[in-house]
Amino acid sequence: MAIMVASMQFHGTKAQTRHIVGDALGWTIPPGGAVAYTTWASLQTFTVGDILVFNFTNGQHDVAEVSADAYGPCTANNPISLSTTTPTSLTLTTAGSHYYICTFTSHCQIGQKLTINVSAAATTAPPSTTPTPPASPPTTMPTPPSATPTPPASPPTTMPTPPSATPTMPASPPKSTLATPTAAPCPPTAPTSSPSSGPSSPPTVVNTDGITTPPPSGGAPSLSAMVPVSFLIIGLAFL
């Protein structure tokens, strides 16, 4: 663990760069104007964590970091930072543009000013001490069988023929032949007996068929012969 920390500190120290502003010229009024510091800055690469070193004569110069609005007109009011002691070392902590001037009278106007662009620090990941596990082989999951059984084929359905809605009329029964009533035979006319002193001749009985039946011999008709005649007369009366 101590070796790893020392290695990381070594890499961090090696990443920092010290920039001597103006190199041999130092931080002073440039003879050629502000272009001297502009040319020097264009040849440098500034990264967060780098250090700017300003070398100047105490009491004759100073270094102040100002905003972009104050840099153009060389305004020294409310600087971001101000150092009057040489050498001044300033660590670049943020990325972007940074502006520096000398606050002594007219020094900024005649060229003692510097602007730089700082890039973000590149991060270097320390080597990992944990071995990388081997990649596991791809696992092929078997396809589960379908839980829904295949329904058997339905047999063809034969629809029964519905019975006819019209009922079959039964055959008409044969007409019955009505018997024509036969006229009842006319009752025989009872013989009229006229009183006579002597024996009278028996009456002649005429049948319904027009046949004359002689009376039985032996006098008056018997009672048995008169009963059918009485029934016949009663039947004709109902008709």
Side-chain angles (χ1 to χ4, degrees):
M1 181 63 70
I3 296 176
M4 291 178 59
V5 173
S7 176
M8 293 176 63
Q9 291 178 349
F10 173 76
H11 285 290
T13 304
K14 184 178 181 180
Q16 291 180 345
T17 302
R18 292 173 60 87
H19 302 275
I20 307 299
V21 177
D23 291 334
L25 177 64
W27 182 241
T28 186
I29 298 174
V35 67
Y37 291 112
T38 303
T39 301
W40 174 84
S42 65
L43 300 176
Q44 311 295 318
T45 299
F46 302 98
T47 306
V48 172
D50 290 354
I51 299 174
L52 293 180
V53 179
F54 292 86
N55 293 319
F56 56 89
T57 304
N58 288 331
Q60 296 183 5
H61 304 282
D62 60 15
V63 55
E65 183 176 1
V66 297
S67 64
D69 295 335
Y71 181 78
C74 293
T75 302
N77 297 332
N78 300 320
I80 298 174
S81 65
L82 177 62
S83 178
T84 58
T85 304
T86 191
T88 295
S89 298
L90 301 178
T91 302
L92 304 176
T93 58
T94 59
S97 298
H98 293 260
Y99 305 94
Y100 304 93
I101 64 174
C102 179
T103 64
F104 277 69
T105 304
S106 301
H107 286 195
C108 176
Q109 285 81 356
I110 60 180
Q112 194 176 359
K113 56 192 305 185
L114 170 68
T115 177
I116 63 174
N117 292 317
V118 180
S119 303
T123 57
T124 303
S128 177
T129 57
T130 304
T132 303
S136 57
T139 304
T140 304
M141 298 297 294
T143 303
S146 175
T148 304
T150 303
S154 301
T157 305
T158 304
M159 298 299 293
T161 304
S164 175
T166 304
T168 305
M169 298 300 294
S172 301
K175 295 181 179 180
S176 60
T177 304
L178 298 177
T180 304
T182 305
C186 296
T189 304
T192 304
S193 59
S194 57
S196 170
S197 60
S200 60
S201 57
T204 303
V205 179
V206 180
N207 297 332
T208 57
D209 297 334
I211 301 175
T212 303
T213 304
S217 60
S222 63
L223 181 59
S224 61
M226 293 298 291
V227 172
V229 175
S230 300
F231 284 129
L232 181 61
I233 293 173
I234 294 172
L236 290 176
F238 280 107
L239 292 176

